[in-house]
Amino acid sequence: MFYAVVLAAGLGTRMRSPLAKVLHPILGRPMVGWVVEAIRGVGAAPILVVGHQAEAVAAAFAHQPDVRFARQERPLGTGDALRAALPLLPAEGPVLVLAGDTPLIGAETLRRLIAGWEAAGQGGQGTGSVVAVASFDAPDPHGYGRIVREPGGADRPTVRIVEQKDCTPAQALIREVNSGAYVFDAAHLRAALPGLQPNARTGEYYLTDLVPPDAVVIGGFAPEQFMGVNDRAALAEARGLLRLRLNRQWAMAGVDLPDLHSPLIEPTVHLEPDARLGVGAVLRGACRVAGEVGDFCVLEDTVVEAGAKVRAGTVAGGAIIRAGAVVGPMSHLRPGAVLEAGAHVGNYVEVKNSRIHAGAKANHLSYLGDAEVGAGANIGAGTITCNYDGFSKHRTQIGAGAFIGSNAALVAPVKIGAGAIIGAGTTVTEDVPADAIAVGRPPLKIAPGSAVRLRARLAAQKAQAQAQAQAQAQTQAMTTPQGPR
């Protein structure tokens, strides 16, 4: 086991937000959480140095006991932040040091950096260096610390990191830059950190002052890996790049995507090979999908089994859709909705805390809350279960093969027996036995010729009202005093 220190104490004023910079979400995970996941990918124990909104940052990892925290009391620079973590570090061995605002860094990058440090320390490069620095060639190096190599002994150049503001004109042209990712030997940190001196101009303690001239520089990394997120534009860019990275991985694993830029898939989602996602599909939380999810669906914590179809525009949260079930378009499945094999829930149907058994159908404009719908039952358009009396929720039970006519209201608690028929427009307030017919609509009255007489009367009333309004306007115009001419 070795350790990784993540510097996550900054204010992030350029984000223009009261939320700490490292907590801004990227695909459902705090920005700094991506750095922590990369650290876990190399088997390191993460230590977060916190300051601004320390309690909020700690709360974001409340269910991750492997994450420990060190507090930087005042924002006195990166060197001071690392010094705050010193009591949690071992006596010797590698210590990764990373920035909390670099969510694109991956485990493979960290493995290569650690391997470079180990090779240097074990004589693989003949240096015996206690520090390794990751570098990359920046197309525009402005703002980065430059890696300045100067002649040294034993045919090996020494290394300095020169910050932008301290560069000479010649150094400013150097494109190899410091990534801000390091591996230090813990013993070196214990020896050097107590004596670290503040910068004469700023009064801050710089991490780069801990890098000795014989540090090994591991170069050639992709610049994207170390992209810092300092404002909302960079945040949006990071989201897009991580989205593309995850989508590419899923496509390579056999998931059918419309394109690599379209679906939004959070890293906590699990997809089976041959699952299909439509344009604009959004999958969040603990979704597990093996079936088909159509265009512009939004699913959270939802299971879609192989052979199930979720049609366009459907929203589902905390639902289970079994093999062969069909949902949508434009359905809403709320927590506790379970659609068994072959069940159909259609357009503008809302289901909450209800089980729709095999082969049952509710294809149009209905609300099924706190209900049990038996196998093969048919729910007509406009049917609602009246599950809430203003104080408590109650259940509706609909038996297998029952037929519920359009625009029926089932006032819970109520049971509809197997095979029963409920007439359209009926309000059911008591249990209906199996194979019974219940019709509760009022008698229909028909008055022949009345429509003609009604239209004539209404037209006359309208004409009279218009004439009165016109007369009133003329009277008002005659009595209003005229101004000078």
Side-chain angles (χ1 to χ4, degrees), residues 155-459:
D155 298 324
R156 179 175 177 271
T158 60
V159 171
R160 283 194 301 138
I161 299 174
V162 181
E163 299 301 331
Q164 171 73 39
K165 59 182 177 297
D166 299 321
C167 283
T168 66
Q171 291 169 343
L173 298 176
I174 296 173
R175 292 177 57 190
E176 185 183 15
V177 299
N178 175 25
S179 71
Y182 311 85
V183 181
F184 290 94
D185 184 86
H188 169 66
L189 292 180
R190 290 193 171 278
L193 273 171
L196 188 64
Q197 296 298 310
N199 181 275
R201 270 187 305 183
T202 66
E204 293 186 349
Y205 298 82
Y206 291 142
L207 188 58
T208 50
D209 290 343
L210 298 170
V211 179
D214 66 346
V216 59
V217 177
I218 314 296
F221 291 102
E224 171 190 300
Q225 291 282 314
F226 304 101
M227 188 185 86
V229 174
N230 294 308
D231 53 41
R232 296 298 182 101
L235 181 65
E237 185 178 359
R239 285 176 177 145
L241 291 169
L242 283 168
R243 181 176 182 174
L244 181 63
R245 182 188 295 178
L246 289 175
N247 287 356
R248 187 182 300 278
Q249 292 171 0
W250 283 121
M252 295 301 295
V255 176
D256 190 351
L257 306 179
D259 61 69
L260 295 181
H261 297 273
S262 179
L264 191 156
I265 307 166
E266 290 187 351
T268 48
V269 169
H270 176 76
L271 304 175
E272 293 289 342
D274 213 33
R276 297 182 64 187
L277 303 184
V279 174
V282 177
L283 275 62
R284 296 190 171 108
C287 283
R288 291 189 292 116
V289 176
E292 180 179 335
V293 177
D295 297 344
F296 304 108
C297 293
V298 180
L299 273 57
E300 184 171 0
D301 301 330
T302 290
V303 174
V304 182
E305 293 186 350
K309 293 184 178 181
V310 183
R311 290 174 173 160
T314 292
V315 175
I320 298 174
I321 306 166
R322 301 291 188 195
V326 178
V327 185
M330 309 301 286
S331 298
H332 186 188
L333 305 185
R334 293 169 58 193
V338 178
L339 275 60
E340 299 292 357
H344 285 201
V345 168
N347 50 287
Y348 302 103
V349 175
E350 180 179 353
V351 181
K352 187 270 295 183
N353 192 30
S354 298
R355 185 177 295 270
I356 315 300
H357 284 270
K361 294 179 173 62
N363 280 327
H364 321 279
L365 303 156
S366 294
Y367 170 66
L368 301 173
D370 300 293
E372 192 89 13
V373 180
N378 186 87
I379 308 298
T383 295
I384 61 171
T385 56
C386 308
N387 58 325
Y388 184 52
D389 62 9
F391 296 94
S392 302
K393 300 288 181 68
H394 303 282
R395 290 195 68 78
T396 298
Q397 296 184 34
I398 300 172
F403 181 92
I404 312 299
S406 296
N407 223 33
L410 311 181
V411 183
V414 70
K415 296 180 181 179
I416 310 298
I421 297 175
I422 308 300
T426 299
T427 297
V428 180
T429 57
E430 57 186 88
D431 293 351
V432 177
D435 295 317
I437 296 176
V439 179
R441 68 177 74 98
L444 181 65
K445 295 180 180 181
I446 300 176
S450 295
V452 175
R453 293 191 294 273
L454 176 62
R455 282 194 291 268
R457 185 170 69 250
L458 293 177

